[in-house]
Amino acid sequence: MPFEPVAGGAVAFLIESQRRVISYCEGLLPANDLTPEDRARLVRLRNTAEAELARLTCAEAA
């Protein structure tokens, strides 16, 4: 999907948001009391956020 330019600091805000999601997931994943389903959800969420962060970073550099 092509990236549409956004006004102002929206891209910077989205990049920071994705970094926070990744950080939050990384903080929760080491917990021993997570169910396998919760762990899988956190991993999926982190992976999705990392992919979106990469896309946004490339778009910002363009």
Side-chain angles (χ1 to χ4, degrees):
M1 166 177 6
F3 183 79
E4 297 289 326
V6 242
V11 173
F13 173 80
L14 293 170
I15 287 172
E16 182 58 29
S17 295
Q18 295 305 319
R19 286 183 178 145
R20 287 177 186 251
V21 169
I22 294 165
S23 176
Y24 186 73
C25 290
E26 292 289 325
L28 291 175
L29 281 168
N32 292 325
D33 59 346
L34 290 175
T35 65
E37 294 82 14
D38 288 340
R39 188 171 306 283
R41 267 183 277 212
L42 283 170
V43 168
R44 268 195 319 272
L45 179 60
R46 182 196 60 200
N47 291 346
T48 301
E50 287 174 345
E52 185 64 14
L53 177 61
R55 188 182 78 81
L56 288 165
T57 303
C58 288
E60 184 182 49

